[in-house]
Structures are given as C-alpha cells and as structure tokens.
Amino acid sequence: MNGFIALELLSILFFSSLLVFVLSKKRDRQTVTFSFLLGSVAIWQLGNVLLLFSRTAEDAIIRSKIVYLGVILISLGFYHVALRIAQVTLPRFALTIVYGLGLVFAVLFLTTDYFLNGINHYAWGYWTKAGPLHPLYVLFYSCLFVIGLSLLFRQARVAQTKWQQHVVKRVFWALLLGAIGSVDYLPTYGVNVYPFGFIPAFAAAVILAYLIVFRGLMAIEVVNWRHYYLSSQVLNFLLPYQRYVTQAVGAIHVNPGEEVLSVGCGAAAFSSLIQKNGGNYAEIEHSETVAKTISENTFREKELLSFSSFLEMLQFASQTFDKILCVDWLHLLPLPERSLALLEYRRILKPRGLITIIVPIEGSNPLKLYSIHFLELTRKSNFFAACLNIIKQFSALASFLYYSLVIMRRQEVLGLVDFLNGNQLLVLLRQNGFDPIAIRRTCEEQVIICVGQIKEISPAASASKTSCNPQAISALKACLGESNVHTEPISLRQYQYSTSADARAIDAVLVPHSVEQLQQTVRLANKYRLQLYPISTGHNWGYGTASPVRDHGVVVDLSRMNRILEVNSELAYVVVEPGVTQGQLSTFLEENDIPLWIDSTGAGPNCSLIGNALERGFGLGRYSDHFLSMCGMEVIIPNGEVVRTGFGSYEKAKATNVYKWGVGPALDGLFTQSNFGIVTKIGLWLAPKPEYVELAWFQCFEEDRIGELIEALRELVIRNVVDSAIKVSHRNTAIAMLQQYPWDETSGLTPLPESLSQNIAKRRKIAAWNGVIPLYGSKIQVQTTKIMVRRILKNKVDKLIFTSDKMIRYLDQFRYPLGILLNINVPEVITLMRLAYGMAKGNPNEHALRMPYWRNTGVLLPSLDLDPGRDQCGLIWFAPIIPMTKSNVDEFLSIVRPIYQYYRFEACVGFTTVTTRAVDCTLPILFDQFNPDEVKRAHECYAELLNQCVQHGYVPYRLHPEGMDRMTQPDNSYWSLVETFKNSIDPQGIISPGRYCRN
C-alpha cells in the first residue's frame, strides 16, 4: 500500500466521522443534505481505494461502478448543499428532475458501457476508461457545480450580515477547492496522472469542519455550556483570577469595616483578600445559574441568564455596600440589561460608593493567560512543581481552553458573549450614574479593570424664568404664531448644546418661516431691545455650535426657511435660503438629474450652505472657497429693511447671480463673519459635472518632511496643475476619525503615547502624513494632470496612487483575495475611498464628524446621525492661515505641538490649500466634556494657542466665540472701524452682540 492510498483511507475516516458528528448534533434538512454529500464523497473515495487495489481488469471494472456511483451522488449532493447554504428554494418538481437525471445516469453507468468502456492500466494501477457518452455526464456534472458555486457567490454578496457573508464566502471557497477533485477525470481520458483528487476534497472537508465547530455553520451546537462553566469554575482558582484579584481589591482600597459585595464568576476568590483587609464580605456567584440556564436553551435564544433571577439575588436594602466588585460578569448580560444591572448596583451602593468592573477584552487568549501563569509558577517554585500543578487541572484546563476558543471565534454569530471595550465601559458607567475614576488593562493586556464612583446628583434647580419682557413675548407670538416662539427650558436646552461645554443662558427661541416674519421680528427686537442671535441650522461645530456669544440672547432659528428658490443649470448656480443644507441640495440635484455638483464640507449633510459660506468656510472641489462662490445676497439689516447686494439692488437686473461685485462699493464681505444683518438668501455657484474624476492619494512616512511636502503642493496649485483644494492630515487626525480614544490601553492617561499612536497607525496602514487631491476634467485632462502630479511629488511622498470609480468597484469585487495578499482591511479602505470620492463629487457624509467623539466618555461613536453638540462632544477649532513655505510650516508646528503636549491633547494637524499661496491648518482641541479638568485645560489650551500663534504671525481665519473678545481689541484701528460700522448700522446692538465685534 503506497502513501497516497493510506492518506485516502484517512480521508475516508475523516469524512465518515464528520458525517456521524453532524447527524449526532443536529438533524434537519440542511444537515441531512450536508451528510448526504459527506457520505457520497466517502463512497467515491472508498471506490477509488478498492479500484487501485484491483488485481485484475475484471475486478477493476466492477469496482469502477462504485467509484461512479459516488461521483454521481457527489454532484447531486454538491448542488443540493449549495442550494441550502445559499437559501434558495426550488420547486419540488425541479429538484425531482435533477435527482431523476442523476438516477438515470446511475442506472446507465451500472448497466451499460456507454459511459465507462473498459479499464486503463497505468504503472500505479487500474483506472476507469471513458465511454462515448462520458462527456455528456461531465457536462451535467459541470453544470451542477457551476450553478451551485454561482449561487453561493451571489449569496456571499447579498447576505444580510457581515458574519453571514463571512461564513458563506468560506463555504464557497471550500466547495470550489473540493471541485478541484475533478482532476480524477484526467486518467479516465488516458492522461497518465495519479488520481490525487481526494487531497483537495479532504482540504475542503477540513475547512467545512472548521466552519461547523468555530463559525456556527448550519447552527450546529458544539459547546457543552454546562461543562464549560463547570471547568471555568475549577479554573477560577488558577490564573485569570489569582492574577488580578489582588489588583482589583487594591484598586478599590478596602478599608476596615467597609461592606463589600462581590458579583460574578469566581467571586469566592476575593473573600480572603477582602477579609484580610478588615472588610465585611458578601458574594453572589452566578456560574451555576448561568450554566443551568444555558444548558436548557439553544444558541439561537441568545440568553445567558434570566434577568429576573439575577435581580432576585440583589434584594439588598438601598445603600448597603461601600464597594462592589463585578467580576467577569457584565459582558455576559444581554445588552439592554447591563444598564439595569448597573442601576441596581447603584441603588445598593452608599453615596460616593465605588464599583470595580473586571472584564476580558475581545479576543483575549486563554492560552496566553495560562502560559503566563505557568511561567509565574515556575519562577515562584520550580519547573516540575509548575508542571504538576497544571497536570492536576489538565481535564478542566483542556475543556475550558477548547470551549473558550470556540466561544471567542463564534461569539459574533451567536451573540452569546458581547465583549466590552474600555470606551463602552466608560459610557456604560456614565449613563447609569457613575463617574469613571480609573481604567487600565492588566494581565498582559488580556483584562480590563475599570473603577467608577457614584455621581453626586444635586437637587434639581427650578427652571429660571425668561428675562424677556412678557409684552415682547406676546408680540412675537402674535407675529410668528404660538408654536414658533419657545421659552420653556426643555425647548431651549437643545440650543444650548455646545461642543465647547460653555452653554449660554437663552431667553427664547424664535422660528420664523418667511422674510416678512423675520423683518417684523427685527422691528420688535428694536422696540423691546432684544438681543437676536440668528442661526441657520445650528451646526457650527467647534465654533460655538448654536449657542449665542453672550448670555440672555434670543436665538432666531432659520432652519424652517429652507426653500431652494432657483436652479439655473445653464449658468450653474442656485439661489437658496438659510435652512437649505448640503444634503438637501445634493439630493435635489441628483433626484432631478441636474448635472451640477455642490462643493461639500466635512460638517455633514445637515450643515447649512449659507451658514458655512458666511463663515468663509471651504471644501475640496473646484469651488472650494465658499465666500468667493457666493454671488448676490439678500440681507435684513437691524432697522428691518431688506438690502440686496451687487446688482440685486436693481429690480430687473439679470446678472445678480453671475457677477459678484455689482457697481459701487462691494458690501458682501461686510455680512460675513459679522453681526451687521441677517442673511436670508444667497446665490451660490455650483460646479458643472465633469466628464471624469479621479482621486490622488499620497502618503509620507516621515514626520519632519511635511515642510517639503507643502512646498511641493504649492507648486501644484500655484501653477494651476490642480484646480481643486488639496488636503493633507497627520496620522493623529486619521486615527481620531476611525476610532475613539483607547482609554483602557493608556490606563486613562493622556495624551495618546507616541508609541501607541504609531502602533495603531501601523495596524491600520496610516502614514505620518496622508493626503488626497481631487482631479477633474476630461479623461485626457486628468491623465495629463496625473503625469504632472507624479513629477512634482516625486521624492516628496513615499506612496502615490490614483483611484477612480471603476477601480473602487474592482477592489470591491476582489476584496477577499486582496485582503489576504495585501494584509489590509479592504472593506474599510473601500468605504473610506467611497466617502472621499463622494465628497469630491459633492455628496456630503458624516465621516469627519466622527472625530469630535474621540475622547467622549459619555456616548459611544454612533454609526449614523452624528451630532457632536447633542452628544456633548468636546471640540474647539483653531484654524490659522499659514504661508506655503517650509520655514513657515515648520515654525508653526514647533509652536503648537509643545502647547498640545503641555495641556495633554493630541495635535490632530490638518492642512488644506485655501489659496494658491496659503494653507489653513484645521487644528481641533478634542476633549471629554464629562471631565471638568479636561474642559478647563481645553479652554486654556485654546487661549495659549491663540496668544502664541498671533504673536508669531499665524492668525486664525475664523474664531471660536472665546477668541472674539481677545482678537477684537479696541486699540486696533481695524476693529475700531468695525465697531464704528456696527454702532452706525445697529445702534441698539440687537443682532448678535459680541460676535466679531466688542459692542
């Protein structure tokens, strides 16, 4: 017997064992069909072995019938399994026809010579010989395989969850690998090749077995949960607990006489340590309850423990305990019930009581834990004593490690264990009345320990009454309607949300719907001396949000004035009201098939077009300077009159929205970054849809080469090689857009250590500097531009690639093999490319809004509907303008980086070309609003940045309200003139007092 035959016998044994295992665990249509396929392969391989052992041609002919009986059954089983996995239901008659054809082929193979005609004799043995109709069966066989694989491929693309896609993809590749077993047809047609088809078939079976055991294929139950928890119970006295029990008790500093409750798996291990410190100890051990509940349920019920039984265990009187230890337990609760558990813990804790939560991190490795334990035992005693200790627990250890491995690999599909990361723990504590005071990883980065303290809740203060004149409120309600004048605190609160943590007192909110209502509102403000603070949509993130500059203002919310008044596709402009958002206009143009693109910003789809333009904001496209793109404004000045700028002052002027300057003094700039009036309408130039778009992505791996890179980018814009804005960001910026601050990895310390920043960047393939350049035009123009970009950026960047819409689709089709070959997260890369490509084409998205959530410990980063103000994110923007020279860029960074380091924030530097000679540095201060110390340091950091940068000549183009008083000094002739204008046009100071003016 040669080695190949021995391997094939082992393969037969494996297929047979897998068949028995599957049927013993679960019997339904899917598993029975799958077992049918396994049995068919076993018959085929058994026939091969018998055929190769034949001594005569007559014996070989008889045994070849067994081979082809298995082959025919394989083709039917393969097709049927593919139908089941792909969730395709055929009419019964169709499946009957397929099986009927298989039966016909089987009968003909067994009784005639049309398909098998004689025997081939090779040096390695006898083999079948094809008859005249054999190709007809090969065609039938091939059709079933191709159809089955195509169904699986389609299902892998349309599966509802990523996990289902993941599993179906692997089934597809496994069956495709198994189909390579068809090479056994070669010797049937006279090719002298040993029939090694059993090898790919065996490899396919190994993959499928892996998917069954570790990935939940066909929802076959593998884990014996009772045994798992009993094993873990025994092992509670080994490493995972003994290693960090002492650390946990030390973290809460048990004092003599304190009442301590321990809740969770292995709680008893804490008893001696707590009592040794003089504390009184109570415990609740859940493992047996969990094991019993799980053993009585199936995977699909996704229930670890009856929550009512858990609450029954906590029937202590309120304010009983000084401290609570929650050990390896919280992550086992279903998601909605974690908050209920923490609220119950809060109830039984005394005021200012502490809770310590210990959970394993996702992907924690039991093998690593126990290897560490073994080394520790070796150091404390000796090698043989350590081996003896492990051997004593071998049975429990083996089962525990096996089940742990299964759980870790299957938890996503089964939903049984939802691990908590550090950010989730912090948010969970804050949302349920605790202030996190410490967090760290321990046990070789395998375990998170988090300590929280009960938050003191002060008695609710009575809502302060509005300071507005009641007559003024009555007059405003008569003008705007009762429903459009808000003075109740709950309605005012949403306008006080600010990413600066400095909410102002607001007296009222007015919501006009028309220019006429707004005019009357301004006149009433003059009459009653109200301070109006107009906002468009209130999404001025990092620059005050919707909150007024001064206390006791009346917010005028213009979001209901949201009409698109005119779209001129021939001259490529629109006329819009203040409430029209980026997303609204982009959708309108797309739905009406108008070949125009907006120039979108990173502020999100709900950001107002007028609001950003009046702040002189910018985007990425050809019309990136939004103030220059404005043409024709309608403004209500403080006396209630309507003024139209440019040619708009002439009723029949036809060039109002195509020629900016009009005749005489140009007034448009007076109404940007000012408080001289309320803009109610603007004309806005849009970009005609180009023939072709590509994005140039570049990376520079060295920190100190940014000055040279900026000078190279200057050459691109000043020579008009590129007619769009160019953006380049530091790795800290990219990281902050992809995840939240890793509090557990830094043990709560700030700022992010340089080594950790580099590790995260390496893991995510982020360079020190990362940039993007949109390229627009005809295909020939873009190709020419690419040549120039390559030449100018040569030796200035380490990586330069160009992507088009077609290339992104190509990457998407081959994301799986590319991910393996390139070792990158291809789906994430594709998502980022699509978002950037969409922005370049005028489709706004929320990706940049992820950054304000970087240090937020009160809210987890949402996947949709991001609102940094509502979610109390900490963000203050600092945005100076820097000449595009190496010396200026290097000097600027040498100023700001030490300031960020001193105040313990990350310098998330980003440069954007705003002219052909200057860049804006969008530099956020990202902080945790829930941490008073961080709030204080953030404002101090902004003040120091403003002071130092202005002293060195790097003045911001746009100000946070905190900087307006600092920058508008009366001893400056420019700001004295501004104040003179303000006093002349608005003598009572009714519009936005303090905004870019000291009045």
Side-chain angles (χ1 to χ4, degrees):
M1 180 173 65
N2 63 39
F4 281 107
I5 293 179
L7 287 175
E8 194 154 9
L9 287 172
L10 286 175
S11 178
I12 294 169
L13 179 62
F14 183 82
F15 274 95
S16 303
S17 301
L18 184 58
L19 184 153
V20 172
F21 174 79
V22 169
L23 289 180
S24 66
K25 289 293 182 181
K26 186 178 181 183
R27 294 190 186 184
D28 59 12
R29 291 185 176 182
Q30 198 171 47
T31 56
V32 168
T33 304
F34 185 77
S35 301
F36 174 74
L37 175 61
L38 294 175
S40 302
V41 176
I43 292 172
W44 163 60
Q45 292 187 352
L46 178 62
N48 285 349
V49 172
L50 294 174
L51 180 59
L52 292 171
F53 269 121
S54 298
R55 295 182 178 276
T56 64
E58 290 75 16
D59 288 343
I61 290 174
I62 296 172
R63 294 173 182 181
S64 67
K65 307 294 184 181
I66 301 174
V67 172
Y68 268 87
L69 176 62
V71 169
I72 293 168
L73 295 177
I74 286 173
S75 60
L76 298 174
F78 185 100
Y79 176 69
H80 204 169
V81 165
L83 289 178
R84 296 288 190 202
I85 302 295
Q87 300 178 8
V88 175
T89 303
L90 288 180
R92 179 170 293 183
F93 75 88
L95 203 55
T96 302
I97 290 174
V98 173
Y99 273 93
L101 287 173
L103 179 62
V104 169
F105 278 115
V107 170
L108 294 175
F109 266 102
L110 294 173
T111 59
T112 72
D113 295 333
Y114 296 130
F115 293 92
L116 292 177
N117 186 13
I119 290 292
N120 287 319
H121 190 192
Y122 299 104
W124 38 264
Y126 291 104
W127 200 250
T128 56
K129 185 176 183 180
L133 295 183
H134 192 275
L136 180 64
Y137 171 71
V138 173
L139 178 63
F140 171 74
Y141 173 95
S142 302
C143 287
L144 291 183
F145 270 64
V146 170
I147 294 172
L149 290 171
S150 63
L151 289 174
L152 288 172
F153 185 79
R154 182 188 64 82
Q155 180 64 17
R157 295 175 62 87
V158 302
Q160 293 182 351
T161 67
K162 288 185 178 180
W163 185 261
Q164 290 173 339
Q165 291 177 0
H166 175 84
V167 172
V168 175
K169 272 183 182 178
R170 277 156 178 74
V171 173
F172 169 82
W173 289 109
L175 294 185
L176 181 62
L177 178 63
I180 298 175
S182 303
V183 297
D184 282 7
Y185 283 130
L186 293 177
T188 301
Y189 284 92
V191 180
N192 189 3
V193 176
Y194 188 87
F196 62 88
F198 72 91
I199 296 177
F202 175 70
V206 171
I207 295 173
L208 292 171
Y210 168 82
L211 293 174
I212 290 169
V213 174
F214 293 117
R215 301 295 182 180
L217 179 62
M218 298 183 292
I220 294 174
E221 182 177 350
V222 176
V223 176
N224 184 321
W225 288 97
R226 178 178 289 278
H227 289 171
Y228 169 73
Y229 278 99
L230 289 174
S231 300
S232 65
Q233 193 92 329
V234 173
L235 293 170
N236 284 346
F237 299 99
L238 289 181
L239 171 68
Y241 298 93
Q242 292 300 323
R243 180 171 175 81
Y244 57 75
V245 161
T246 307
Q247 296 177 350
V249 175
I252 63 170
H253 305 292
V254 177
N255 300 313
E258 286 189 329
E259 302 290 338
V260 181
L261 173 67
S262 183
V263 185
C265 305
F270 291 90
S271 176
S272 59
L273 281 168
I274 292 174
Q275 290 173 355
K276 183 179 179 181
N277 288 353
N280 299 318
Y281 178 77
E283 64 176 297
I284 297 175
E285 178 64 74
H286 292 317
S287 294
E288 291 187 12
T289 309
V290 174
K292 180 181 178 182
T293 306
I294 291 175
S295 65
E296 293 170 354
N297 291 286
T298 63
F299 280 139
R300 284 171 291 182
E301 293 184 24
K302 300 181 181 178
E303 184 177 350
L304 289 180
L305 177 65
S306 168
F307 195 68
S308 59
S309 65
F310 166 67
L311 291 180
E312 288 174 7
M313 297 178 188
L314 289 177
Q315 292 305 306
F316 298 101
S318 297
Q319 300 186 6
T320 299
F321 296 98
D322 296 284
K323 284 153 188 179
I324 291 179
L325 293 171
C326 181
V327 187
D328 248 9
W329 161 245
L330 197 62
H331 65 291
L332 298 178
L333 282 175
L335 290 172
E337 293 171 1
R338 293 173 182 173
S339 291
L340 296 177
L342 282 175
L343 289 173
E344 188 65 11
Y345 294 151
R346 193 181 190 285
R347 181 187 67 80
I348 63 178
L349 271 173
K350 295 177 181 178
R352 306 299 293 169
L354 293 177
I355 182 170
T356 297
I357 299 173
I358 303 176
V359 293
I361 67 168
E362 183 170 4
S364 58
N365 188 345
L367 290 172
K368 183 175 181 180
L369 286 172
Y370 283 97
S371 64
I372 296 165
H373 174 57
F374 180 80
L375 293 175
E376 285 186 348
L377 288 174
T378 303
R379 284 196 298 268
K380 290 178 181 178
S381 52
N382 56 63
F383 176 78
F384 296 105
C387 291
L388 183 61
N389 186 290
I390 294 296
I391 291 170
K392 286 179 180 179
Q393 304 293 339
F394 180 77
S395 175
L397 175 63
S399 62
F400 177 66
L401 293 181
Y402 166 70
Y403 290 135
S404 295
L405 188 62
V406 174
I407 292 169
M408 284 191 299
R409 292 185 176 275
R410 299 186 63 176
Q411 57 90 17
E412 183 175 346
V413 65
L414 302 175
L416 285 167
V417 180
D418 290 298
F419 288 98
L420 286 159
N421 60 37
N423 296 83
Q424 290 169 324
L425 267 178
L426 294 174
V427 170
L428 198 59
L429 285 171
R430 286 208 187 278
Q431 290 178 345
N432 293 283
F434 292 91
D435 278 326
I437 58 176
I439 185 170
R440 69 175 183 270
R441 287 191 181 187
T442 184
C443 210
E444 301 297 328
E445 302 290 308
Q446 303 295 298
V447 175
I448 299 172
I449 298 180
C450 185
V451 182
Q453 186 173 46
I454 285 187
K455 188 185 301 181
E456 290 185 349
I457 301 177
S458 57
S462 59
S464 59
K465 294 182 179 179
T466 176
S467 64
C468 278
N469 185 329
Q471 291 180 333
I473 297 297
S474 298
L476 288 167
K477 287 182 177 180
C479 170
L480 302 176
E482 289 266 352
S483 61
N484 296 316
V485 178
H486 305 285
T487 58
E488 59 279 5
I490 193 169
S491 298
L492 303 183
R493 179 65 185 128
Q494 63 177 308
Y495 295 91
Q496 294 176 309
Y497 287 134
S498 169
T499 62
S500 313
D502 54 0
R504 299 292 183 184
I506 297 175
D507 288 340
V509 173
L510 313 178
V511 188
H513 288 65
S514 66
V515 172
E516 292 73 25
Q517 285 186 343
L518 192 52
Q519 283 183 279
Q520 186 61 26
T521 299
V522 172
R523 294 188 182 111
L524 289 172
N526 274 297
K527 180 178 178 180
Y528 294 105
R529 300 184 68 87
L530 304 177
Q531 298 180 3
L532 302 181
Y533 187 80
I535 62 171
S536 47
T537 58
H539 293 166
N540 198 15
W541 319 122
Y543 293 106
T545 316
S547 186
V549 179
R550 299 279 188 266
D551 285 325
H552 300 294
V554 175
V555 173
V556 182
D557 183 352
L558 305 177
S559 60
R560 297 293 180 85
M561 296 174 63
N562 58 357
R563 292 179 299 164
I564 300 171
L565 300 170
E566 181 185 353
V567 179
N568 190 316
S569 56
E570 187 177 11
L571 295 174
Y573 72 82
V574 294
V575 180
V576 296
E577 290 186 323
V580 176
T581 64
Q582 295 189 124
Q584 178 186 349
L585 181 57
S586 176
T587 301
F588 178 86
L589 295 173
E590 188 174 348
E591 288 179 349
N592 291 278
D593 200 24
I594 299 172
L596 300 175
W597 286 353
I598 71 168
D599 187 82
S600 59
T601 72
N606 297 322
C607 168
S608 163
L609 292 162
I610 285 185
N612 184 265
L614 295 181
E615 283 290 299
R616 301 203 282 270
F618 51 84
L620 274 178
R622 286 175 162 174
Y623 291 82
S624 58
D625 189 322
H626 295 168
F627 170 65
L628 289 179
S629 301
M630 287 196 307
C631 193
M633 303 171 70
E634 179 183 89
V635 187
I636 297 177
I637 57 176
N639 65 5
E641 293 182 11
V642 173
V643 172
R644 297 178 179 87
T645 64
F647 286 137
S649 59
Y650 299 96
E651 186 178 347
K652 294 185 178 180
K654 298 183 182 298
T656 300
N657 300 122
V658 295
Y659 183 74
K660 187 180 185 75
W661 312 112
V663 59
L667 302 180
D668 298 64
L670 287 176
F671 300 106
T672 65
Q673 291 191 6
S674 74
N675 55 2
F676 296 161
I678 301 175
V679 178
T680 58
K681 182 194 305 181
I682 66 167
L684 192 66
W685 293 346
L686 303 181
K689 182 178 179 180
E691 175 190 328
Y692 191 66
V693 181
E694 281 201 28
L695 294 183
W697 302 83
F698 58 88
Q699 289 187 322
C700 183
F701 298 141
E702 298 175 27
E703 292 263 1
D704 57 1
R705 287 173 57 192
I706 182 61
E708 298 174 5
L709 176 58
I710 291 294
E711 290 192 337
L713 299 180
R714 182 189 66 210
E715 292 301 300
L716 289 176
V717 292
I718 205 167
R719 295 178 182 276
N720 205 32
V721 175
V722 173
D723 59 357
S724 58
I726 302 174
K727 188 169 184 64
V728 56
S729 301
H730 186 258
R731 69 163 178 269
N732 285 347
T733 306
I735 291 171
M737 287 187 187
L738 292 173
Q739 66 175 71
Q740 288 185 280
Y741 191 87
W743 294 104
D744 53 323
E745 294 184 65
T746 63
S747 297
L749 299 177
T750 58
L752 187 70
E754 183 70 12
S755 58
L756 181 55
S757 173
Q758 291 178 357
N759 286 340
I760 295 173
K762 184 178 180 180
R763 199 162 59 235
R764 291 182 174 271
K765 311 297 181 184
I766 299 169
W769 298 100
N770 310 269
V772 61
I773 310 172
L775 307 177
Y776 303 97
S778 66
K779 277 196 173 183
I780 295 175
Q781 287 175 318
V782 171
Q783 293 301 323
T784 304
T785 303
K786 286 165 64 175
I787 294 171
M788 294 291 291
V789 169
R790 283 195 183 97
R791 189 174 74 189
I792 292 174
L793 294 186
K794 186 178 181 181
N795 299 324
K796 300 297 187 297
V797 299
D798 298 296
K799 187 178 290 186
L800 175 64
I801 62 171
F802 298 90
T803 61
S804 63
D805 196 29
K806 183 178 180 180
M807 180 180 177
I808 294 172
R809 290 197 301 270
Y810 174 81
L811 289 173
D812 196 22
Q813 287 180 335
F814 297 94
R815 61 170 64 186
Y816 181 69
L818 286 173
I820 295 175
L821 292 173
L822 304 177
N823 190 30
I824 58 174
N825 186 343
V826 176
E828 182 177 86
V829 171
I830 291 171
T831 298
L832 294 176
M833 283 184 172
R834 280 181 171 155
L835 290 171
Y837 200 79
M839 284 279 288
K841 296 196 296 184
N843 299 320
N845 59 66
E846 296 182 320
H847 182 68
L849 292 182
R850 296 166 60 91
M851 186 162 57
Y853 291 82
W854 169 243
R855 286 204 185 179
N856 192 329
T857 61
V859 177
L860 289 175
L861 178 62
S863 56
L864 295 171
D865 189 28
L866 278 69
D867 188 328
R870 176 200 64 205
D871 294 333
Q872 294 179 270
C873 298
L875 167 66
I876 299 174
W877 281 111
F878 181 65
I881 300 296
I882 302 149
M884 293 179 71
T885 66
K886 181 181 185 301
S887 59
N888 279 292
V889 170
D890 289 345
E891 182 188 27
F892 170 75
L893 291 176
S894 71
I895 296 167
V896 300
R897 279 178 164 166
I899 296 173
Y900 271 83
Q901 186 68 29
Y902 178 80
Y903 289 101
R904 307 209 311 270
F905 297 110
E906 296 75 32
C908 297
V909 181
F911 295 108
T912 305
T913 57
V914 288
T915 72
T916 56
R917 294 161 178 82
V919 290
D920 164 64
C921 180
T922 45
L923 196 57
I925 302 171
L926 302 171
F927 60 98
D928 182 14
Q929 276 206 42
F930 298 92
N931 185 331
D933 177 62
E934 283 213 0
V935 173
K936 179 175 177 290
R937 284 189 284 109
H939 287 274
E940 290 173 350
C941 181
Y942 179 80
E944 185 67 12
L945 285 170
L946 191 61
N947 180 50
Q948 291 296 323
C949 287
V950 171
Q951 280 188 20
H952 287 82
Y954 302 109
V955 183
Y957 88 98
R958 185 174 174 182
L959 294 173
H960 181 271
E962 187 175 327
M964 291 177 185
D965 276 346
R966 298 173 186 272
M967 293 293 291
T968 56
Q969 297 298 324
D971 58 351
N972 183 306
S973 60
Y974 175 86
W975 291 109
S976 294
L977 180 59
V978 170
E979 192 166 344
T980 301
F981 286 154
K982 176 64 176 177
N983 293 334
S984 174
I985 195 172
D986 187 9
Q988 297 197 76
I990 66 163
I991 295 181
S992 301
R995 179 172 171 76
Y996 289 100
C997 186
R998 293 183 61 83
N999 72 314

